[in-house]
Amino acid sequence: MNTTIPDNWYETFFAGINCEMWEKAATQQMTDDEAAFLVSVFKLPKGSKILDLPCGTGRHSLALDRQGFNMTAIDISDEFINSLKKKVAAQELNIGVIHANILSLELEDSFDGAFCMGNSFGYFTYPDMKIFIQKVSNLLKPNAKWIINSGLMAESFLAKFIKGKTYELPGMTMCINNNYDEWNSCLLTTLTYVRNGKEEVQQFKHHVYTIGETIRMLKNGGFRTTALYNSTNKESYKLGDVQIFLVAEKLW
């Protein structure tokens, strides 16, 4: 069943129970810590234009907008984008919310910084990853920073490969079953949700890149990697750390 997951799975995955799960999984403290980290790394004045992609629920854009930054949030999910638009309107915020696939998006704008939080950096195949990196590069001003967060870089994920795990979220249980496609360096995951006694199964795939490979891809896209952290506390990343926060700088 896992082998049938298409490369463009992310175009339809983020709807229904998957969106509900992400809304429930991220705590306010997590958002506050990550937003503070982003601000401290960017070191940008209020009013600077920052790009959040893919934005998912938009929790980081909401937090940074309240701190005075000019936010643009992009995502492919109808559900995430419609929900974020409602939050922006209800709170009278100025976030630019765009529903688009970054691989085909043509945006006439330039930004002072960008970030890619969660594990979304590995959604794409290698050819599409090159397009993704170049798209972001084209949208950033020289010396702008791009902050990438992931728990699925090879040095993190493969060092402590976990076949399965169960999470209890408000109103639902989520069981994760992982398999690994060695031929394609790809994580194949089945999610089984149980809510109100009913079961729902969802699947996704994630391309697993090494840190060195990621740095080389970024370099080819016009970026210089300047820091590798293992948390929002800015401690240096080391083999096996659960998370990585990579900071890259646009060279030209």
Side-chain angles (χ1 to χ4, degrees):
M1 193 156 108
N2 273 314
T3 56
T4 63
I5 303 172
D7 286 339
N8 64 339
W9 62 271
Y10 51 83
E11 293 181 4
T12 57
F13 179 82
F14 293 102
I17 198 167
N18 290 317
C19 289
E20 182 182 342
M21 180 273 291
W22 282 114
E23 288 277 5
K24 292 180 176 181
T27 66
Q28 187 59 51
Q29 187 61 58
M30 184 187 304
T31 300
D32 292 344
D33 290 345
E34 291 170 352
F37 169 80
L38 292 170
V39 171
S40 70
V41 173
F42 281 133
K43 293 184 172 67
L44 291 170
K46 300 297 174 64
S48 296
K49 298 171 67 174
I50 300 177
L51 185 62
D52 176 3
L53 83 164
C55 66
T57 63
R59 60 192 180 92
H60 300 102
S61 284
L62 293 168
L64 294 180
D65 178 273
R66 296 188 193 102
Q67 296 187 48
F69 295 98
N70 186 342
M71 300 301 303
T72 296
I74 301 172
D75 204 279
I76 198 171
S77 167
D78 288 328
E79 198 160 324
F80 276 149
I81 288 297
N82 290 335
S83 176
L84 180 56
K85 285 181 177 179
K86 291 177 182 178
K87 294 173 186 174
V88 169
Q91 299 174 40
E92 298 182 340
L93 303 176
N94 279 327
I95 301 171
V97 183
I98 299 174
H99 177 234
N101 183 342
I102 184 59
L103 297 181
S104 57
L105 175 65
E106 297 296 334
L107 188 61
E108 296 296 326
D109 208 341
S110 59
F111 295 85
D112 303 298
F115 57 86
C116 179
M117 300 295 285
N119 295 321
S120 51
F121 186 75
Y123 286 174
F124 303 130
T125 62
Y126 181 73
D128 284 346
M129 182 64 81
K130 291 194 291 185
I131 296 173
F132 174 45
I133 291 172
Q134 194 60 58
K135 287 280 187 179
V136 176
S137 180
N138 293 344
L139 289 170
L140 291 181
K141 299 175 183 178
N143 302 316
K145 292 186 177 71
W146 185 14
I147 300 171
I148 298 166
N149 163 237
S150 177
L152 292 176
M153 291 288 183
E155 289 84 349
S156 292
F157 177 72
L158 295 180
K160 299 177 181 178
F161 182 84
I162 298 175
K163 178 77 173 177
K165 194 169 184 178
T166 299
Y167 293 90
E168 296 292 337
L169 299 171
M172 72 171 72
T173 298
M174 179 179 69
C175 298
I176 298 177
N177 182 58
N178 290 322
N179 289 290
Y180 193 71
D181 176 0
E182 295 86 353
W183 285 71
N184 296 294
S185 298
C186 192
L187 171 67
L188 306 169
T189 299
T190 298
L191 304 175
T192 303
Y193 296 100
V194 178
R195 180 177 57 181
N196 299 325
K198 295 183 179 180
E199 185 176 283
E200 182 173 325
V201 177
Q202 299 283 338
Q203 292 184 304
F204 70 87
K205 67 165 60 172
H206 191 286
H207 299 274
V208 179
Y209 298 103
T210 67
I211 296 170
E213 186 176 16
T214 300
I215 290 172
R216 288 189 290 274
M217 286 192 292
L218 289 168
K219 182 178 180 181
N220 289 336
F223 291 93
R224 176 174 64 93
T225 300
T226 60
L228 301 175
Y229 300 121
N230 72 357
S231 71
T232 56
N233 293 328
K234 297 184 181 178
E235 297 175 1
S236 296
Y237 178 89
K238 59 184 182 300
L239 180 66
D241 283 339
V242 175
Q243 293 278 322
I244 189 168
F245 293 80
L246 182 152
V247 182
E249 186 175 293
K250 174 77 178 294
L251 291 176
W252 59 79

